[in-house]
Amino acid sequence: MQKSTFGRLNPLSLRFTRLGGAALLGLLVAGCSTSGNQQGTVSTSGEQRVTQADLQAYCPRISLREGTSFFSTYEKGGNGDSSRVVYQASISDVTRDCRRDNGTLTITVAAAGRVVPGPKFRNGTINMPIRVVVMEGDKVISTKLHKQAVAMNNSQSATQFLFAGTPVSVPEASSRQVQIFIGFDEGPNKG
């Protein structure tokens, strides 16, 4: 029997580790393979089925437009004054879901973020302006301004939010030219 020193495996242990790893990898690969039907399905909720083609299909990219991932609200007349902030919000993650049906691609976007109360915050529900824009090249296919409601009842801590936009449909044939943007948008300057 060979002795091993601390921090180093002896050659016999190393061979068993390699064999065990190879056997485990073989079992995992065997469990992931599909036999027969190339249109394998995955059940998501018992009602809908996701096909292998759906999993491998193209879904347009989603991006936060530069300068739109943060949003601050001030009390009336206090724009830019940090002591008069009502709340500040940020979007930290974005994603999208694509569904295909008869040559149409339906895209639903989602975002996650948080809202931090400022010095002038009062408990209640706030509405944040989130815009979703779908473009094909330089052409705007869809633009929608949503009002995301967030209930905030603690002026001492941040609140997380999840946003899901209304679905947008585009022809599947042109989906590779489509890009989606999301971000906060106060609309035109009032003044």
Side-chain angles (χ1 to χ4, degrees):
M1 209 163 203
Q2 297 181 358
K3 291 184 179 180
S4 79
T5 58
F6 183 74
R8 199 177 78 173
L9 292 173
N10 68 37
L12 185 60
S13 295
L14 194 55
R15 268 186 263 162
F16 282 122
T17 302
R18 286 182 186 152
L19 285 173
L24 182 60
L25 181 62
L27 288 172
L28 288 173
V29 169
C32 291
S33 68
T34 57
S35 59
N37 183 3
Q38 288 296 324
Q39 293 289 40
T41 59
V42 177
S43 176
T44 57
S45 67
E47 294 175 14
Q48 296 178 341
R49 294 235 182 241
V50 178
T51 66
Q52 184 176 2
D54 287 336
L55 292 173
Q56 295 173 341
Y58 180 78
C59 191
R61 199 169 60 126
I62 183 170
S63 305
L64 274 166
R65 190 160 287 213
E66 188 173 332
T68 65
S69 61
F70 296 96
F71 177 71
S72 296
T73 299
Y74 299 88
E75 71 177 349
K76 190 171 184 162
N79 283 357
D81 183 349
S82 62
S83 68
R84 297 177 77 181
V85 170
V86 177
Y87 70 87
Q88 293 180 318
S90 65
I91 296 174
S92 56
D93 276 324
V94 296
T95 191
R96 78 276 186 239
D97 175 61
C98 293
R99 303 276 177 193
R100 285 156 186 74
D101 187 32
N102 296 326
T104 300
L105 181 66
T106 302
I107 308 161
T108 305
V109 301
R114 59 188 264 171
V115 182
V116 179
K120 298 299 179 180
F121 175 77
R122 289 186 189 92
N123 289 347
T125 299
I126 61 167
N127 288 297
M128 299 178 301
I130 298 177
R131 183 172 298 277
V132 176
V133 179
V134 179
M135 298 184 71
E136 183 179 343
D138 292 339
K139 178 184 166 192
V140 174
I141 295 173
S142 170
T143 180
K144 179 153 182 162
L145 183 61
H146 302 267
K147 294 293 184 185
Q148 174 67 30
V150 177
M152 296 183 61
N153 299 317
N154 184 346
S155 63
Q156 301 302 313
S157 66
T159 300
Q160 294 183 344
F161 70 89
L162 293 174
F163 164 79
T166 55
V168 177
S169 294
V170 298
E172 190 171 2
S174 63
S175 65
R176 290 198 181 267
Q177 287 77 42
V178 170
Q179 178 153 9
I180 307 158
F181 294 98
I182 189 171
F184 291 114
D185 184 359
E186 295 178 81
N189 288 337
K190 299 174 186 154

